[in-house]
Amino acid sequence: MEASATADEPTPTRRDFLFIATGAVGVVGAGAAVWPLIDQMNPDATTLAAASTEVDIGNIAEGQIVTIKWRGKPVFISHRTQAEIEAARAVPIDELPDPATDQSRTQKPEWLIVIGICTHLGCVPLGNDGPFQGGYFCPCHGSVYDASGRIRQGPAPKNLAVPPYAFDGDAKVKIG
Amino acid sequence: MSGHPTYVPKSAAARWLESRLPILGLLHSSFVVFPNPRNLNYWWTFGGILSFMLAAQIVTGVVLAMHYTPDARLAFASIEHIMRDVNYGWLFRYMHANGASMFFLALYIHMFRGLYYGSYKAPREVLWLLGVVIFLLSIATAFLGYVLPWGQMSFWGATVITSLFSAIPFVGDYVTTWLWGGYAVDSATLNRFFALHYLLPFMIAGVVVLHIWALHVPGSNNPAGIEPKSGKDTLPFHPYFTVKDGFALACFLIFYGWFVFYVPNYLGDADNYIEANPLQTPVHIVPEWYYLPFYAILRSIPSKIGGAAAMFSAVLIIAFLPWLDTSRVKSAAYRPLYRIFFWIFVACALLLGYVGSQPPEGGYVLAARLLTIYYFVHFLVILPLLGLIERPQPLPATIADSVLGPQAQVLPAKATQMPGQ
C-alpha cells in the first residue's frame, strides 16, 4: 500500500518543505544579487565627500541675492532689507500653501539661505523677480516665491528648501 | 494567414543551411510570398519606413559613439569636435539628430493610421500593445539622447523630466537622487544616460521583431477593415509591396535629406548650442517637437503630482484603446461619426503641440486645460459611446469587392496560386 502511505503522510510533506526552502533561498539570493546592481547608481564616494562649502558674505549688499554652488546645486544667499523681513513676517501662516514661519526658515533675520531649485521640476528661479519684493520667480512653469522663499503661487508644492548651514562670525557662512 | 511554405532551396549551400536552421524559408514566407491585402494604401508604408529609420539611427549612432565623450566637462566640446574635426562627423550628427525627428514623424503617422483604420481591434490587440511598448521605448531613447550634447536644453530638459519622479509619494526624492547618481544632474547622470541610450535601440529592435511576428499571425489590417477571405483579396509581399514600400521610402528619404542638408538645425533649439550651466535656467524651456503635446498636458495641471500623472496617463491610455473602442467596425471609412471625431482628435493633438511650444501664460493655460480635457474625453467617453450609438455604413463583402466593385472577376495573382490550382 505504497500509494495510500504517501497520501496519509501528514502535510506539509518533506517535499513541500524542500520546495519552500529552495524557493526562499532563491528569492534571498536574487535579492542579494540585484541590490548591488541597483545601489551602484546611487551617489558615489566622491559625490558624498564634496559635502560643504564656505562662503564670504561680508560684501553682499543689502537687497542683493548671490548664487553659489553647493553639491552641484545653486544656493541663494539673500541679504534682505528691513521691509522684506517685515513683509515676510507679517503674512498670516494659514494663507500659505506650505505653512512655515519666516523665523523657522532663517537663523538671522537679514540672511535668507535657500537651495535655488524650484520644488516643481527643478529649474533655478530668478532672484528679486515676481510680485513679491525680494522674492523669486521660476521662469519654467511660473511658480512664485516670497522673500522667505515660501511658495505663494503656481504649480510648485513646497517652499524652497533650507540647507544646513552655520554662521562663522558676521562675514562667513558654512553651507553643508 | 502565414505564408505557405513554398520555399525550395536552389543551391547546395542553401539546402545544407535550411535543413539545419530553416531561416531562409522563414524569410521567404515572411517577406517574399507573404500575402498582404491588395487594397493597402500608402499609409501602410510607414512600418517599413520606421524599420529603415531605426536601422539608420543605430548605424549613425554607433558612429557618433566612436567620437563622443560622456563626461560633463568634455561632452559639449566632443560634439563640436565631431562637427568640425571628424571626417563626415557633421553628416552623421545631422543625420542622427534629424533622424530622431523623422522617426517620430513616421511613428505618429503610423499610429494615426492605426487609429483611423481601427488596426488595434481584434485580433490585433497584442500587435497594438507591442507598438505601444515601442512608442514608450522610443520616447525614453530620444529623451536620453537629447541629453548627450550637454547644452542648456539638454541639461534643463534632463532636470525637469527626472524631477517628475520626485512627485512619487514618499520615495520620490530617493528615486531622483538614484537616477542622478548625485544631488543634481551631473557627470554621473550623463554617463549612465549614454549607456542607456546605446542599449535601448537594440531593445526596440527586439520588440520590432515581436511586432512583426504578431503582425504576421493575422496579417495586415487594410483600408476596408475586413479580413481577407480568399486568394483574390491578397497579393504577395514581393514584388507588389516591396516596390510600394520602396517608393514611399525613397520619397521619405528625400524629405529627410532636405532637413539634413538644407535646414539641419530647424527642428533643434538654439539654446542647445550654449554649454550646460547648472546655475542658470533658460528663460523658456521647450522639449523637442515630438514631446510637445504631452508637455502641454503636463503643464496644464496646476499640481506637481497631478501634472506628472496626467502626462504618463496620456501616453498609457493609448494601450487601452482596443478595449475603449466598442465599435466592431474597424475602418473609419465605414464609420461616419468616428470619422469626424478622428479628425477632431488629430486637431486636438496638433493644437496641444502648438500650446506646448508657447509660454505657460494667459490664454495658453486655459487652452491647454480644455485640450487636455478633450484628449481624455476622446478616449474615455467618445470612443466607448460611439460604438453604441453610431450606425456604420454597409461593409463590402470582400476586399476585392471594395477595390473593384462587387461584380468584377478577379484573377488571383500568379504567386499566390496554390500548386495544382
Side-chain angles (χ1 to χ4, degrees):
Chain A
M1 298 299 282
E2 190 66 29
S4 69
T6 344
D8 290 343
E9 225 177 296
T11 49
T13 61
R14 180 182 149 81
R15 178 165 290 193
D16 289 335
F17 171 77
L18 287 174
F19 184 75
I20 291 166
T22 311
V25 170
V27 167
V28 171
V34 163
W35 176 245
L37 288 172
I38 294 173
D39 192 42
Q40 52 84 21
M41 279 174 69
N42 273 318
D44 60 23
T46 50
T47 309
L48 294 171
S52 70
T53 306
E54 261 192 26
V55 190
D56 191 348
I57 54 172
N59 49 8
I60 302 176
E62 206 178 83
Q64 192 183 3
I65 300 173
V66 166
T67 307
I68 59 116
K69 206 170 162 185
W70 170 67
R71 281 182 164 182
K73 304 183 204 191
V75 170
F76 296 147
I77 303 179
S78 169
H79 193 171
R80 302 190 296 180
T81 63
Q82 202 54 44
E84 287 164 15
I85 297 167
E86 278 163 18
R89 300 201 161 182
V91 177
I93 288 298
D94 43 337
E95 267 182 26
L96 300 168
D98 180 14
T101 61
D102 184 59
Q103 285 86 342
S104 72
R105 298 175 51 78
T106 49
Q107 291 180 17
K108 295 182 180 178
E110 63 272 33
W111 294 105
L112 176 80
I113 301 181
V114 286
I115 295 176
I117 290 182
C118 181
T119 56
H120 181 224
L121 293 174
C123 296
V124 179
L126 305 169
N128 279 329
D129 202 337
F132 292 91
Q133 177 81 46
Y136 306 84
F137 175 75
C138 182
C140 291
H141 307 102
S143 293
V144 171
Y145 300 88
D146 63 14
S148 189
R150 291 174 298 198
I151 179 67
R152 301 297 287 268
Q153 297 164 21
K158 288 186 200 146
N159 301 333
L160 293 178
V162 179
Y165 65 90
F167 288 100
D168 179 12
D170 281 343
K172 267 192 181 166
V173 65
K174 187 183 168 199
I175 297 167
Chain B
M1 277 301 300
S2 59
H4 304 295
T6 55
Y7 175 67
V8 183
K10 290 196 181 71
S11 69
R15 256 194 309 280
W16 182 88
L17 177 63
E18 191 65 8
S19 62
R20 284 156 180 80
L21 177 71
I23 191 168
L24 297 172
L26 178 68
L27 293 174
H28 186 262
S29 65
S30 303
F31 301 107
V32 179
V33 293
F34 188 81
N36 259 349
R38 66 189 306 145
N39 58 340
L40 294 189
N41 57 31
Y42 276 105
W43 299 113
W44 261 265
T45 60
F46 283 88
I49 288 170
L50 280 163
S51 305
F52 180 90
M53 287 311 299
L54 178 63
Q57 287 301 89
I58 289 176
V59 170
T60 53
V62 168
V63 167
L64 291 172
M66 292 180 186
H67 305 280
Y68 170 77
T69 314
D71 182 301
R73 288 160 300 181
L74 305 168
F76 187 81
S78 78
I79 295 290
E80 285 310 304
H81 162 70
I82 289 169
M83 291 302 289
R84 293 152 193 260
D85 304 336
V86 175
N87 300 332
Y88 292 104
W90 59 272
L91 176 63
F92 290 115
R93 174 162 176 261
Y94 280 155
M95 281 174 72
H96 198 72
N98 286 285
S101 279
M102 293 301 122
F103 184 87
F104 272 94
L105 177 66
L107 188 57
Y108 282 133
I109 293 174
H110 192 64
M111 290 167 73
F112 276 118
R113 194 283 322 272
L115 292 186
Y116 188 84
Y117 292 110
S119 299
Y120 45 83
K121 291 183 191 182
R124 296 185 180 82
E125 300 96 324
V126 171
L127 172 61
W128 180 258
L129 290 175
L130 288 166
V132 173
V133 172
I134 294 171
F135 180 45
L136 292 174
L137 288 172
S138 304
I139 289 175
T141 307
F143 162 69
L144 294 167
Y146 191 63
V147 177
L148 304 184
W150 210 241
Q152 274 288 66
M153 281 297 158
S154 299
F155 183 90
W156 291 101
T159 299
V160 167
I161 298 303
T162 50
S163 294
L164 285 175
F165 291 92
S166 69
I168 303 169
F170 310 115
V171 295
D173 288 333
Y174 297 102
V175 171
T176 316
T177 304
W178 176 73
L179 286 173
W180 287 340
Y183 302 104
V185 174
D186 209 334
S187 249
T189 324
L190 177 61
N191 213 332
R192 67 191 51 183
F193 277 21
F194 177 59
L196 294 172
H197 182 68
Y198 207 117
L199 167 71
L200 289 191
F202 296 97
M203 293 179 68
I204 293 176
V207 184
V208 167
V209 170
L210 295 180
H211 192 65
I212 293 172
W213 186 7
L215 170 70
H216 282 193
V217 175
S220 284
N221 184 33
N222 62 80
I226 52 177
E227 303 300 326
K229 295 191 174 69
S230 70
K232 286 181 191 174
D233 292 336
T234 62
L235 289 173
F237 194 82
H238 181 74
Y240 295 95
F241 296 95
T242 43
V243 167
K244 189 161 187 151
D245 281 355
F247 178 68
L249 177 64
C251 295
F252 190 83
L253 291 181
I254 290 170
F255 181 68
Y256 173 29
W258 179 70
F259 274 97
V260 170
F261 292 107
Y262 291 91
V263 284
N265 288 303
Y266 180 74
L267 296 167
D269 194 303
D271 269 337
N272 224 28
Y273 282 104
I274 302 169
E275 191 169 3
N277 178 357
L279 299 185
Q280 196 193 11
T281 307
V283 177
H284 186 200
I285 293 187
V286 262
E288 293 286 84
W289 68 266
Y290 37 84
Y291 297 135
L292 287 174
F294 300 107
Y295 190 61
I297 290 172
L298 166 74
R299 292 193 312 189
S300 69
I301 313 282
S303 130
K304 180 171 170 176
I305 189 162
M311 185 178 73
F312 286 118
S313 306
V315 180
L316 292 177
I317 202 167
I318 298 168
F320 294 92
L321 204 51
W323 298 277
L324 290 171
D325 184 346
T326 50
S327 173
R328 274 187 290 179
V329 176
K330 291 196 192 95
S331 172
Y334 302 100
R335 296 186 61 190
L337 288 178
Y338 175 67
R339 201 156 60 218
I340 297 167
F341 283 105
F342 170 82
W343 288 111
I344 296 176
F345 180 71
V346 172
C348 170
L350 293 175
L351 282 172
L352 271 171
Y354 172 72
V355 169
S357 72
Q358 299 301 311
E361 50 198 33
Y364 293 122
V365 177
L366 180 67
R369 285 183 190 160
L370 294 175
L371 290 164
T372 298
I373 291 167
Y374 185 82
Y375 181 95
F376 286 104
V377 164
H378 176 83
F379 285 103
L380 296 173
V381 180
I382 294 174
L383 285 184
L385 284 183
L386 266 190
L388 305 177
I389 58 173
E390 182 182 50
R391 186 175 172 163
Q393 288 155 349
L395 294 172
T398 65
I399 290 173
D401 285 357
S402 79
V403 181
L404 304 155
Q407 308 308 327
Q409 288 291 312
V410 188
L411 292 171
K414 240 182 176 175
T416 52
Q417 267 184 330
M418 297 288 286
Q421 202 173 4

